[in-house]
Structures are given as C-alpha cells and as structure tokens.
Amino acid sequence: MELKAAKEAEAKGEEDIPEVTKYVRVGDSQIVYELEDSSYEILAANSYDDLRHKEVFWADSDTITQIDVTLEGEEHVFTSEEDDISEVRTALKTLMADSFTDEEAEQKEEISLVIHLDNEDFPQVKIQLYRYDGSLCLAVVDGESVCFVERSSVMELVEAVQEIVLN
C-alpha cells in the first residue's frame, strides 16, 4: 500500500515521498531479505516465467547414478559406472526452455528418461519429450508439461543414447 502511494506521489512530482522498505522471501524459507530500490525495480519488472530456470534438467549432472531410457519402444538402463554417459549428460544440459507452456502432449513421444540422482531430496526426475512441430518438442517433467525445447536439442539427446545402445 505504501509503495503504491509513493509511486503516485512520485508521478505527481510531489516532494514528500514516503520512505518504503521492500522485503522478499523465497518460497517457504524463513529468511527474509531487504531489497534495495534498484533490485526491487528489476524484480518487479519480471514475470513468473522470467524467473523460472530455463534448464529442463536442472540437477548437477555429476549426481546422476543411473538413467532409464525408453526410446522407440525399447527400454535401456545406463549406469554411470558401467557406461560412458558423458554425451548423454552433455545433451541433457543443452535442453533449454524456448517458451513455457502447460499444453498437453498430443504427438509421438521422442524419448523418455528416468534420471536417478544421488540426492536425498530429489532421488529421481522423469523427463518425457514429445514431438510438437518441426522445430519444437514439448518437455514434460515429472508428469507436468513445462516448456517447449528446440527439437534439434532433443535429437542430439536421442543420438547420444543411440550411440551407447549401438556400441
């Protein structure tokens, strides 16, 4: 309420603009941060999607212990100890949101992965990538439609998996 009054006073050119202190709390954290005016202006100018991470696979790839892959109807299991999955890790990290969506998957699944992590809080993540059009795929993470990604990035992931399967 005070911030609105301050902005209205500033717009009218009034000299006596009240001092306003701004705070932010992230999620359920108990920590409250005081914001500088410039930080507040930057934060307030962003939308929810601007603040979301763009990575489809957000975890540290070094925590991957196993990847269960479904590709072209066949299931494969890769472990970080037995298989060289470095190309798959690299391809996973290049899957970036082109734009965010909540659309449902309607086309063919290109690839599905259950990535097992050495992480107590997040022991696994399931990523399904569906064809959307000639240039984009729909990413579904843990059962929720999240974003569109470049189809070329998805094809790099598919090729990295096929390389392991064929060797």
Side-chain angles (χ1 to χ4, degrees), residues 14-160:
E14 295 177 13
E15 297 291 323
D16 191 21
I17 300 173
E19 178 81 22
V20 177
T21 304
K22 295 153 228 57
Y23 299 95
V24 66
R25 184 175 65 139
V26 180
D28 294 331
S29 172
Q30 297 302 309
I31 302 171
V32 177
Y33 301 93
E34 184 175 343
L35 289 178
E36 307 249 342
D37 287 342
S38 60
S39 296
Y40 170 78
E41 295 298 331
I42 292 168
L43 188 60
N46 286 294
S47 71
Y48 173 69
D49 285 346
D50 292 333
L51 300 173
R52 295 172 73 175
H53 55 82
K54 305 280 188 225
E55 300 94 352
V56 173
F57 177 68
W58 39 261
D60 181 358
S61 60
D62 291 338
T63 64
I64 297 173
T65 59
Q66 178 179 311
I67 303 175
D68 304 335
V69 178
T70 304
L71 178 62
E72 297 176 6
E74 293 187 29
E75 295 182 11
H76 309 279
V77 176
F78 307 122
T79 63
S80 57
E81 296 170 358
E82 297 172 10
D83 303 295
D84 180 9
I85 61 171
S86 61
E87 294 298 320
V88 174
R89 289 176 199 230
T90 300
L92 277 169
K93 290 310 253 182
T94 64
L95 295 175
M96 298 288 183
D98 180 75
S99 59
F100 294 98
T101 186
D102 59 1
E103 283 190 40
E104 295 296 318
E106 296 179 358
Q107 296 196 36
K108 178 185 178 230
E109 182 180 88
E110 297 285 3
I111 189 169
S112 175
L113 307 102
V114 176
I115 305 163
H116 301 269
L117 304 170
D118 184 15
N119 183 318
E120 279 184 28
D121 296 325
F122 300 99
Q124 69 181 30
V125 61
K126 182 174 185 176
I127 299 173
Q128 297 165 283
L129 298 158
Y130 294 89
R131 185 177 300 162
Y132 183 74
D133 61 23
S135 61
L136 296 173
C137 286
L138 173 66
V140 176
V141 180
D142 291 333
E144 286 189 42
S145 295
V146 175
C147 63
F148 295 112
V149 297
E150 292 291 327
R151 189 161 191 272
S152 58
S153 296
V154 174
M155 291 301 99
E156 287 177 21
L157 175 61
V158 167
E159 289 172 8

